[in-house]
Amino acid sequence: MTSMSSIVLAASEHADVVPVAADGVFSWMWLLVAIPAVSAAILLIGDGAGDHGPLDRFGHLLGTAAAIASFVVGVVGFVALLGQDVAERAVTQDLWTWMQVGGFDVTMSVYYDQLSALFVLLITGVGSLIHVYSIGYMAHDPRKRRFFGFLNLFIAAMLVLVLAGDYLVLFLGWEGVGLASYLLIGFWQEKRSAAVAAKKAFIVNRVGDLGLALGIMLMFAQFGTTNIHEVGLNVTNASQSVATALGLLLLLGACGKSAQVPLQSWLLDAMEGPTPVSALIHAATMVTAGVYLVVRSAAIYDLSEVARTAVVIVGCVTLLFGAWIGCAKDDIKKALAGSTMSQIGYMMLAAGLGPAGYAFAIFHLITHGFFKANMFLGAGSVMHGMNDDVDMRHYGALRKLMPLTFITFAMGYLAIIGFPGFSGFFSKDRIIESAFATNFWAGLAALLGAGVTAFYMTRVMILTFFGERRWREDVHPHESPKIMTVPLIVLAALSVVGGALTFSDWIEDWLTPVTGSEHHELGVPAWVITLIIVAVVAVGASLAYVLFARRDVPDTAPQQVSVFTRAGRADLYGDAVNEAVFMRPGQYLTRSLVYVDGTGIDGAVTGTAELVGDGARGLRRLQTGFVRTYAAEIFGGALVLVLALLAVNLA
Amino acid sequence: MSAVSVQAIVGAAPSPIEAPDVDYATISPLLIILGAAVLGVLVEAFVPRAYRFVTQIAVAVVGVVAAFVATVVVGAGLDTVDGEVTGRGGPTAMGSLSVDGPAVVTWAMLLFFGLLGVLLFAERRLDGGLSAFTSQASTPPGSADERHATRLRIEHSEVFPLAMFALGGMMFFASANDLLGMFVALEVLSLPLYLMCGLARRRRLLSQEAAMKYFLLGAFSSAFFLYGIAMVYGYAGSFGLAEISTAVSSQIGGQNLLLAGMALILVGLLFKVAAVPFHAWTPDVYQGAPTPVTAFMAAGTKAAAFVAMLRIFFVAFGGARWDWAPAVWAIAIITMLFGAIASIAQTDVKRMLAYSSIAHAGFLLVGMAGLTSGDGVTSVSAVLFYLVAYGAAAIGAFAVVTLVRDAGGETTHLGRWAGLGKESPVLAVAFTIFLLSFAGIPLTGGFISKWSVFAAAWDGGAWPLVVVGVVASALALFFYIRVVVLLFFAPPQGDGPTVAVPSPLTWSVVAITVAVTIVLGVLPGPLLDLVQQAGAFVR
Amino acid sequence: MTEYTPVLVLAAISGAFAVFSVLIAPLTGPKRYNRAKVDSYECGIEPTPQAAGGGRVPVKYFITAMLFIVFDVEIIFLYPFAVEFDLLGWFGIVEMLLFIATVFVAYVYVWRRGGLEWD
């Protein structure tokens, strides 16, 4: 168990993959993206004037049909891929040349291989279920047509991301999902908190996007190509430091999109969006794009131990960080969001282990997609019955009144804590095992995380479904309509059986051509680790039972709490750090620039009213409107320029 | 200073003047445009008032189209020159003009912008059958004379010949091969623009103020430019870019004179492209000028001045690159950050577009840090592509601005634009596309252009600039997206904006610019090939 | 720097002359003030009080002055052409005619738009 095995990687196997040109079914894979994209365009642009036109009445059906159609294409493609030879499972179809400059060219292509096939199924499958669920959840929203348009836009962008054969095209999808996420978090923009949360998500994500953008620039500068496959081939000849720099830049991008420390703070606020959005984007698919990026860039990470270690550290820190936050939140969605961060931390950790962990990262990503979407939709169903109250202290004893929601949620719960036989058991077990096999401390963090996960998820379960009823007076909990419970049932079933993917190592073998594979021997038999994990989980769950089921739950959160709880409630002071490091200087800068441009400002609209007010009241220093000031600026600038050039010469 | 150059100044040995040899066919696009301008002046003098406006439109459109055709013919006939760098075409008209690949591409670009500008100028359906220009500039704003002139439907059709003169000046500027010619071109392009800025029909005082500011500051910066030219002449003993280049690379001494001269020439050009700290006029002038003029100016002046700047600094001062490059780097960084951050605070659409134009000047300066030749993305090709994509989106955005109105004419306060998506989805989508292109979102021309200037700069070793550029575009994106959200999702103020129904002229401008913006994002290949094949400057 | 000595000497002399003439006038001249003497401009336009119609000054004078300058500049170009007439040949004649015609166009414009009418 203590084997700190030194990692010497064999020549990457995945570099040997030679993509074959698409034919037959595979030449239709572009439909995956095209169908939801067209549907989104129709829903968002078409027929704008009437508030009760046919698109407003049937738009949600169109959106759902588009998602399902895309899923059908995905299934057909997957089946066809199963029928291919292993050597021919990476299929590429060039649609058109996007840019070509000298020797550099970017092709809009569909790159469909084992990895993207799994993602396509997850995105369109879970996506379709969430579309169906949203028909019920958003039934009374006057703008549901737009909501479905955004969802379709998201599906299209996410598919562009996973089907991209070129980092630049991937970046296109990356920006697209960011945009869709921004629009959907702020969907109820009349809520100020939602608008602020959307803004925050956007800004934090931009920091991550910087990393990805710079990484792509670096690839272009070093290799003259941004094709993922060719970068993989070229990087083997590049220096260690280039691989490290690339790995770290991509990791920064991944941190932003996947809400990993230090760019984690947006995810909790993102829960302001409608719950189906939280389920689809902020749990099952988009936030896992960072993991996808790391796994897709396996060739780069294989060459840099530093970058891999950074990924492992980010993963470990986040998995504990998220779990800690999950323990302290009373808002059911925020507790689940903390858990999402934590689970993605597991995936990151696995991805950082190199070929030994890539497949497990993806495996956990898929099972997590099932059970977390399930639980978020379950939470949405609970909120639906509780007049959109999200405070778990106001729930309790809901299992009788919402039997279907309870049972499905319980399936998700058992899966996430890793109850033997459920999907999460297999996927988390694999990650913890490989972590121990590689680095004892990473393994320990993962093991500890499993215990904490069991603790806070049990807390959520007890507060919501068991114990006394603590409802507000005007609340009449009731089960949700069928259109919402059917997706719950399907997802619950998947949460139970999803672990089957690993039977006889199917998913490992399936992904080996993409990610390579490697096995580290543990110092002890695997079942010992499994037993330890189960024991730790049992301890966590029992602790929660003792603390929450055996005592009364106060109606308001107690204020006299330990420093740990307080820190957890404050998202571990992530916002305070951001504020001190980024926001204050940023505000100061904008304010001083507003100060600079005092003309034509009254600050009424764009949400910077208070900020602008200060500046406008101040003296108008530079942008005065007076020609003499401008002339003086030009003169000063000219003087500086002349002196600077002369100084360069003298130096 | 050596005796040789002094002799050149004094002209001690008078040599017989030979009749110059001018290849009129090669410079025909320039002649056609200037001819159209002169013809326009005659139309103004002789055609009866009732037919004047239409006649002017016809002269301008025919002139621009003819010049475009001539440009294509000239461009197709350029010889390939293989020297240290690959180029096409070369100096003509006794070396005073260089009709090379970049020049011809710039001509075509400017003529395209000119055509769009003329279409916007010609729009008369928005303001009760009157153009965007004042009836009689000589009447005081708000006076009885002004009302009388409006009632008589008097119109300033002079804007068309003025635009043609400005266009001619821009084309000359982009292809001038000596500093004196450049100065003349600079003035020919600027003077008509100063005038046109003051001709707005609505908010005339603001417009006149803008014109006055632009004129005074423009004259001021021209003086710097001229002073710089004088110093460089003092250094090299010639105005010709080729001769200056020889002098620079042979290091003939008097380095300080050269450096000061370069700095002052740079000041004049940076003023025209609106780079910080020479940008202060931009928001005021963009806001005050009649919007169609702003559109034409934003696209055209920037393109002409940038190409001229690249030409001077790559051709004449290429040998002193490491003397001027740090200054350009610094200005690029300041300009990008300032433009991006300052635009966040804007509440007026035209001012916001002005700050965005400043930020884009910064990105273009990043492109200047690239390599001058090679197989990949060169500075020249990246900047040319950028100018096309930016210019098209800018003209389109200002065209949209002309359409969103209330009782007092165009309503440019951003708050009044809330809910435009409901009022006119097509227009709001078009404006969104332009904003996304400014922001550099993939699948718009702006993305490819940002990408190519960054790629060029990175190839040239200017990676710190690229990092700042990526940061600045991230900042800017935040703002643009907020405007998009405002357009579509914010509740309208009062009745919301009114969208005037324009004639097909403005619609076609919006449609063309949207199409260009998207095509350049999705299928940039042909234009990238074109700017790539244009090659380097030929002196 | 020796080549520049004459230039510097000339600059010094002209500077000294300017200072001298400004200083010598008040010292030696008689001081008889009247209204015209204390005007800001002595070229015939009253800047204050504001003229009728929005405080504008008549521009007729400036138009005439500008037309004069246009023709002045034209002559400046015509002189060297006349001196080198035989060397430039037909090319010179054609170019010069074009130049004159272009200036004439501007003149025609001013004439047609009433720029030459004093009132």
mmCIF file of all heavy atoms in Angstrom, chain A residues 453-483:
data_model
loop_
_atom_site.group_PDB
_atom_site.id
_atom_site.type_symbol
_atom_site.label_atom_id
_atom_site.label_comp_id
_atom_site.label_asym_id
_atom_site.label_seq_id
_atom_site.Cartn_x
_atom_site.Cartn_y
_atom_site.Cartn_z
ATOM 1 N N THR A 453 -17.592 12.265 1.943
ATOM 2 C CA THR A 453 -18.716 12.206 1.010
ATOM 3 C C THR A 453 -19.884 11.457 1.635
ATOM 4 O O THR A 453 -21.030 11.908 1.600
ATOM 5 C CB THR A 453 -18.285 11.500 -0.292
ATOM 6 O OG1 THR A 453 -17.151 12.159 -0.812
ATOM 7 C CG2 THR A 453 -19.399 11.511 -1.309
ATOM 8 N N ALA A 454 -19.579 10.321 2.216
ATOM 9 C CA ALA A 454 -20.640 9.532 2.858
ATOM 10 C C ALA A 454 -21.304 10.357 3.946
ATOM 11 O O ALA A 454 -22.529 10.348 4.092
ATOM 12 C CB ALA A 454 -20.042 8.260 3.444
ATOM 13 N N PHE A 455 -20.493 11.133 4.680
ATOM 14 C CA PHE A 455 -21.033 11.941 5.773
ATOM 15 C C PHE A 455 -22.026 12.979 5.251
ATOM 16 O O PHE A 455 -23.178 13.036 5.671
ATOM 17 C CB PHE A 455 -19.878 12.612 6.520
ATOM 18 C CG PHE A 455 -20.324 13.595 7.555
ATOM 19 C CD1 PHE A 455 -20.788 13.159 8.798
ATOM 20 C CD2 PHE A 455 -20.304 14.955 7.310
ATOM 21 C CE1 PHE A 455 -21.208 14.059 9.762
ATOM 22 C CE2 PHE A 455 -20.723 15.866 8.260
ATOM 23 C CZ PHE A 455 -21.173 15.413 9.487
ATOM 24 N N TYR A 456 -21.576 13.803 4.298
ATOM 25 C CA TYR A 456 -22.468 14.912 3.930
ATOM 26 C C TYR A 456 -23.639 14.447 3.082
ATOM 27 O O TYR A 456 -24.719 15.033 3.135
ATOM 28 C CB TYR A 456 -21.702 16.079 3.298
ATOM 29 C CG TYR A 456 -21.104 15.852 1.930
ATOM 30 C CD1 TYR A 456 -21.893 15.871 0.789
ATOM 31 C CD2 TYR A 456 -19.732 15.671 1.778
ATOM 32 C CE1 TYR A 456 -21.339 15.677 -0.461
ATOM 33 C CE2 TYR A 456 -19.173 15.495 0.535
ATOM 34 C CZ TYR A 456 -19.979 15.494 -0.582
ATOM 35 O OH TYR A 456 -19.432 15.306 -1.809
ATOM 36 N N MET A 457 -23.452 13.389 2.313
ATOM 37 C CA MET A 457 -24.590 12.932 1.523
ATOM 38 C C MET A 457 -25.650 12.307 2.437
ATOM 39 O O MET A 457 -26.848 12.437 2.210
ATOM 40 C CB MET A 457 -24.146 11.920 0.462
ATOM 41 C CG MET A 457 -23.425 12.514 -0.727
ATOM 42 S SD MET A 457 -24.118 14.034 -1.394
ATOM 43 C CE MET A 457 -25.747 13.535 -1.826
ATOM 44 N N THR A 458 -25.188 11.627 3.479
ATOM 45 C CA THR A 458 -26.140 11.068 4.436
ATOM 46 C C THR A 458 -26.901 12.209 5.110
ATOM 47 O O THR A 458 -28.109 12.128 5.338
ATOM 48 C CB THR A 458 -25.399 10.233 5.491
ATOM 49 O OG1 THR A 458 -24.549 9.325 4.813
ATOM 50 C CG2 THR A 458 -26.377 9.468 6.367
ATOM 51 N N ARG A 459 -26.180 13.282 5.400
ATOM 52 C CA ARG A 459 -26.811 14.452 6.007
ATOM 53 C C ARG A 459 -27.907 15.002 5.091
ATOM 54 O O ARG A 459 -29.041 15.266 5.533
ATOM 55 C CB ARG A 459 -25.736 15.511 6.264
ATOM 56 C CG ARG A 459 -26.278 16.847 6.717
ATOM 57 C CD ARG A 459 -25.127 17.768 7.114
ATOM 58 N NE ARG A 459 -25.597 19.107 7.418
ATOM 59 C CZ ARG A 459 -25.666 20.086 6.540
ATOM 60 N NH1 ARG A 459 -25.296 19.880 5.291
ATOM 61 N NH2 ARG A 459 -26.103 21.280 6.901
ATOM 62 N N VAL A 460 -27.582 15.147 3.830
ATOM 63 C CA VAL A 460 -28.575 15.642 2.871
ATOM 64 C C VAL A 460 -29.795 14.736 2.877
ATOM 65 O O VAL A 460 -30.946 15.185 2.943
ATOM 66 C CB VAL A 460 -27.969 15.725 1.454
ATOM 67 C CG1 VAL A 460 -29.057 15.951 0.419
ATOM 68 C CG2 VAL A 460 -26.909 16.803 1.394
ATOM 69 N N MET A 461 -29.529 13.444 2.824
ATOM 70 C CA MET A 461 -30.595 12.448 2.755
ATOM 71 C C MET A 461 -31.503 12.547 3.986
ATOM 72 O O MET A 461 -32.735 12.584 3.874
ATOM 73 C CB MET A 461 -29.902 11.072 2.723
ATOM 74 C CG MET A 461 -30.740 9.968 2.216
ATOM 75 S SD MET A 461 -31.066 10.171 0.470
ATOM 76 C CE MET A 461 -32.370 8.988 0.299
ATOM 77 N N ILE A 462 -30.862 12.609 5.163
ATOM 78 C CA ILE A 462 -31.647 12.624 6.406
ATOM 79 C C ILE A 462 -32.443 13.910 6.517
ATOM 80 O O ILE A 462 -33.641 13.905 6.805
ATOM 81 C CB ILE A 462 -30.706 12.463 7.622
ATOM 82 C CG1 ILE A 462 -30.107 11.055 7.616
ATOM 83 C CG2 ILE A 462 -31.457 12.725 8.920
ATOM 84 C CD1 ILE A 462 -29.023 10.853 8.644
ATOM 85 N N LEU A 463 -31.776 15.035 6.284
ATOM 86 C CA LEU A 463 -32.462 16.314 6.434
ATOM 87 C C LEU A 463 -33.647 16.424 5.494
ATOM 88 O O LEU A 463 -34.662 17.030 5.816
ATOM 89 C CB LEU A 463 -31.501 17.476 6.166
ATOM 90 C CG LEU A 463 -30.441 17.760 7.225
ATOM 91 C CD1 LEU A 463 -29.635 18.988 6.858
ATOM 92 C CD2 LEU A 463 -31.067 17.940 8.582
ATOM 93 N N THR A 464 -33.505 15.833 4.311
ATOM 94 C CA THR A 464 -34.551 16.011 3.313
ATOM 95 C C THR A 464 -35.692 15.023 3.495
ATOM 96 O O THR A 464 -36.860 15.407 3.530
ATOM 97 C CB THR A 464 -33.963 15.858 1.900
ATOM 98 O OG1 THR A 464 -32.870 16.752 1.778
ATOM 99 C CG2 THR A 464 -35.005 16.174 0.849
ATOM 100 N N PHE A 465 -35.368 13.762 3.629
ATOM 101 C CA PHE A 465 -36.409 12.752 3.512
ATOM 102 C C PHE A 465 -36.824 12.129 4.839
ATOM 103 O O PHE A 465 -37.868 11.511 4.926
ATOM 104 C CB PHE A 465 -35.967 11.650 2.556
ATOM 105 C CG PHE A 465 -35.851 12.117 1.139
ATOM 106 C CD1 PHE A 465 -34.612 12.361 0.557
ATOM 107 C CD2 PHE A 465 -36.993 12.344 0.383
ATOM 108 C CE1 PHE A 465 -34.518 12.796 -0.739
ATOM 109 C CE2 PHE A 465 -36.890 12.784 -0.912
ATOM 110 C CZ PHE A 465 -35.651 13.012 -1.471
ATOM 111 N N PHE A 466 -35.973 12.256 5.851
ATOM 112 C CA PHE A 466 -36.314 11.601 7.114
ATOM 113 C C PHE A 466 -36.587 12.636 8.192
ATOM 114 O O PHE A 466 -36.603 13.829 7.937
ATOM 115 C CB PHE A 466 -35.166 10.668 7.532
ATOM 116 C CG PHE A 466 -34.972 9.519 6.597
ATOM 117 C CD1 PHE A 466 -34.090 9.624 5.524
ATOM 118 C CD2 PHE A 466 -35.677 8.341 6.764
ATOM 119 C CE1 PHE A 466 -33.917 8.581 4.648
ATOM 120 C CE2 PHE A 466 -35.500 7.291 5.881
ATOM 121 C CZ PHE A 466 -34.628 7.416 4.824
ATOM 122 N N GLY A 467 -36.766 12.165 9.385
ATOM 123 C CA GLY A 467 -36.931 13.052 10.533
ATOM 124 C C GLY A 467 -38.298 13.717 10.575
ATOM 125 O O GLY A 467 -39.263 13.253 9.966
ATOM 126 N N GLU A 468 -38.369 14.777 11.349
ATOM 127 C CA GLU A 468 -39.624 15.503 11.522
ATOM 128 C C GLU A 468 -39.919 16.345 10.294
ATOM 129 O O GLU A 468 -39.006 16.773 9.593
ATOM 130 C CB GLU A 468 -39.497 16.443 12.730
ATOM 131 C CG GLU A 468 -39.195 15.747 14.028
ATOM 132 C CD GLU A 468 -40.356 14.897 14.454
ATOM 133 O OE1 GLU A 468 -41.497 15.400 14.444
ATOM 134 O OE2 GLU A 468 -40.144 13.698 14.772
ATOM 135 N N ARG A 469 -41.224 16.668 10.114
ATOM 136 C CA ARG A 469 -41.547 17.628 9.063
ATOM 137 C C ARG A 469 -41.317 19.036 9.598
ATOM 138 O O ARG A 469 -41.758 19.388 10.688
ATOM 139 C CB ARG A 469 -42.987 17.445 8.579
ATOM 140 C CG ARG A 469 -44.016 17.407 9.696
ATOM 141 C CD ARG A 469 -45.391 17.401 9.120
ATOM 142 N NE ARG A 469 -45.664 16.182 8.369
ATOM 143 C CZ ARG A 469 -46.813 15.979 7.742
ATOM 144 N NH1 ARG A 469 -47.744 16.918 7.755
ATOM 145 N NH2 ARG A 469 -47.047 14.861 7.106
ATOM 146 N N ARG A 470 -40.575 19.800 8.847
ATOM 147 C CA ARG A 470 -40.242 21.153 9.290
ATOM 148 C C ARG A 470 -40.668 22.160 8.218
ATOM 149 O O ARG A 470 -39.993 23.144 7.975
ATOM 150 C CB ARG A 470 -38.724 21.271 9.517
ATOM 151 C CG ARG A 470 -38.152 20.291 10.523
ATOM 152 C CD ARG A 470 -36.672 20.458 10.702
ATOM 153 N NE ARG A 470 -35.934 20.196 9.460
ATOM 154 C CZ ARG A 470 -35.565 18.988 9.045
ATOM 155 N NH1 ARG A 470 -35.833 17.910 9.766
ATOM 156 N NH2 ARG A 470 -34.914 18.841 7.914
ATOM 157 N N TRP A 471 -41.784 21.862 7.542
ATOM 158 C CA TRP A 471 -42.154 22.674 6.396
ATOM 159 C C TRP A 471 -42.690 24.028 6.832
ATOM 160 O O TRP A 471 -43.189 24.193 7.935
ATOM 161 C CB TRP A 471 -43.244 21.991 5.556
ATOM 162 C CG TRP A 471 -42.963 20.545 5.329
ATOM 163 C CD1 TRP A 471 -41.732 19.954 5.270
ATOM 164 C CD2 TRP A 471 -43.918 19.513 5.185
ATOM 165 N NE1 TRP A 471 -41.865 18.619 5.074
ATOM 166 C CE2 TRP A 471 -43.201 18.307 5.015
ATOM 167 C CE3 TRP A 471 -45.316 19.477 5.150
ATOM 168 C CZ2 TRP A 471 -43.834 17.092 4.826
ATOM 169 C CZ3 TRP A 471 -45.934 18.271 4.963
ATOM 170 C CH2 TRP A 471 -45.188 17.088 4.809
ATOM 171 N N ARG A 472 -42.639 24.987 5.924
ATOM 172 C CA ARG A 472 -43.335 26.262 6.160
ATOM 173 C C ARG A 472 -44.828 25.982 6.075
ATOM 174 O O ARG A 472 -45.259 24.955 5.535
ATOM 175 C CB ARG A 472 -42.955 27.288 5.095
ATOM 176 C CG ARG A 472 -41.472 27.571 4.931
ATOM 177 C CD ARG A 472 -40.879 28.221 6.142
ATOM 178 N NE ARG A 472 -40.307 27.191 7.044
ATOM 179 C CZ ARG A 472 -39.454 27.472 8.010
ATOM 180 N NH1 ARG A 472 -39.100 28.727 8.223
ATOM 181 N NH2 ARG A 472 -38.973 26.528 8.774
ATOM 182 N N GLU A 473 -45.622 26.907 6.538
ATOM 183 C CA GLU A 473 -47.039 26.613 6.672
ATOM 184 C C GLU A 473 -47.783 26.468 5.341
ATOM 185 O O GLU A 473 -48.681 25.659 5.203
ATOM 186 C CB GLU A 473 -47.720 27.711 7.505
ATOM 187 C CG GLU A 473 -47.693 27.371 8.985
ATOM 188 C CD GLU A 473 -47.652 28.615 9.829
ATOM 189 O OE1 GLU A 473 -48.126 29.654 9.339
ATOM 190 O OE2 GLU A 473 -47.133 28.557 10.955
ATOM 191 N N ASP A 474 -47.400 27.296 4.380
ATOM 192 C CA ASP A 474 -48.168 27.292 3.140
ATOM 193 C C ASP A 474 -47.640 26.278 2.144
ATOM 194 O O ASP A 474 -47.991 26.300 0.976
ATOM 195 C CB ASP A 474 -48.149 28.699 2.520
ATOM 196 C CG ASP A 474 -46.731 29.214 2.378
ATOM 197 O OD1 ASP A 474 -45.841 28.630 3.038
ATOM 198 O OD2 ASP A 474 -46.517 30.170 1.619
ATOM 199 N N VAL A 475 -46.781 25.385 2.593
ATOM 200 C CA VAL A 475 -46.172 24.435 1.673
ATOM 201 C C VAL A 475 -46.916 23.116 1.726
ATOM 202 O O VAL A 475 -47.215 22.602 2.804
ATOM 203 C CB VAL A 475 -44.692 24.227 2.046
ATOM 204 C CG1 VAL A 475 -44.104 23.104 1.233
ATOM 205 C CG2 VAL A 475 -43.920 25.511 1.813
ATOM 206 N N HIS A 476 -47.238 22.618 0.540
ATOM 207 C CA HIS A 476 -47.917 21.327 0.479
ATOM 208 C C HIS A 476 -47.137 20.400 -0.439
ATOM 209 O O HIS A 476 -47.381 20.371 -1.640
ATOM 210 C CB HIS A 476 -49.340 21.501 -0.043
ATOM 211 C CG HIS A 476 -50.101 22.525 0.741
ATOM 212 N ND1 HIS A 476 -50.567 22.301 2.013
ATOM 213 C CD2 HIS A 476 -50.437 23.803 0.438
ATOM 214 C CE1 HIS A 476 -51.161 23.380 2.458
ATOM 215 N NE2 HIS A 476 -51.099 24.316 1.522
ATOM 216 N N PRO A 477 -46.211 19.665 0.134
ATOM 217 C CA PRO A 477 -45.356 18.834 -0.717
ATOM 218 C C PRO A 477 -46.184 17.800 -1.473
ATOM 219 O O PRO A 477 -47.177 17.289 -0.955
ATOM 220 C CB PRO A 477 -44.434 18.142 0.277
ATOM 221 C CG PRO A 477 -44.549 18.908 1.534
ATOM 222 C CD PRO A 477 -45.896 19.528 1.550
ATOM 223 N N HIS A 478 -45.767 17.576 -2.703
ATOM 224 C CA HIS A 478 -46.485 16.593 -3.519
ATOM 225 C C HIS A 478 -45.497 16.006 -4.517
ATOM 226 O O HIS A 478 -44.476 16.610 -4.816
ATOM 227 C CB HIS A 478 -47.637 17.270 -4.263
ATOM 228 C CG HIS A 478 -47.189 18.455 -5.065
ATOM 229 N ND1 HIS A 478 -46.690 18.352 -6.341
ATOM 230 C CD2 HIS A 478 -47.124 19.774 -4.746
ATOM 231 C CE1 HIS A 478 -46.365 19.541 -6.785
ATOM 232 N NE2 HIS A 478 -46.611 20.432 -5.850
ATOM 233 N N GLU A 479 -45.851 14.839 -4.993
ATOM 234 C CA GLU A 479 -44.959 14.212 -5.972
ATOM 235 C C GLU A 479 -45.032 14.972 -7.291
ATOM 236 O O GLU A 479 -46.064 15.577 -7.613
ATOM 237 C CB GLU A 479 -45.384 12.740 -6.162
ATOM 238 C CG GLU A 479 -44.464 11.939 -7.067
ATOM 239 C CD GLU A 479 -43.018 11.952 -6.583
ATOM 240 O OE1 GLU A 479 -42.289 12.907 -6.918
ATOM 241 O OE2 GLU A 479 -42.601 11.010 -5.878
ATOM 242 N N SER A 480 -43.942 14.970 -8.028
ATOM 243 C CA SER A 480 -43.908 15.688 -9.299
ATOM 244 C C SER A 480 -44.630 14.890 -10.380
ATOM 245 O O SER A 480 -44.819 13.691 -10.243
ATOM 246 C CB SER A 480 -42.459 15.913 -9.702
ATOM 247 O OG SER A 480 -41.841 16.716 -8.741
ATOM 248 N N PRO A 481 -45.006 15.583 -11.469
ATOM 249 C CA PRO A 481 -45.701 14.869 -12.551
ATOM 250 C C PRO A 481 -44.803 13.830 -13.214
ATOM 251 O O PRO A 481 -43.593 13.856 -13.066
ATOM 252 C CB PRO A 481 -46.073 15.980 -13.522
ATOM 253 C CG PRO A 481 -45.168 17.114 -13.196
ATOM 254 C CD PRO A 481 -44.891 17.017 -11.738
ATOM 255 N N LYS A 482 -45.455 12.958 -13.983
ATOM 256 C CA LYS A 482 -44.736 11.842 -14.613
ATOM 257 C C LYS A 482 -43.602 12.305 -15.509
ATOM 258 O O LYS A 482 -42.550 11.694 -15.567
ATOM 259 C CB LYS A 482 -45.727 11.021 -15.456
ATOM 260 C CG LYS A 482 -46.445 9.955 -14.708
ATOM 261 C CD LYS A 482 -46.586 8.718 -15.617
ATOM 262 C CE LYS A 482 -47.306 7.597 -14.897
ATOM 263 N NZ LYS A 482 -48.692 7.966 -14.508
ATOM 264 N N ILE A 483 -43.838 13.420 -16.197
ATOM 265 C CA ILE A 483 -42.835 13.874 -17.151
ATOM 266 C C ILE A 483 -41.519 14.161 -16.434
ATOM 267 O O ILE A 483 -40.446 14.124 -17.013
ATOM 268 C CB ILE A 483 -43.354 15.118 -17.906
ATOM 269 C CG1 ILE A 483 -42.482 15.457 -19.115
ATOM 270 C CG2 ILE A 483 -43.407 16.334 -16.999
ATOM 271 C CD1 ILE A 483 -43.071 15.027 -20.375
#
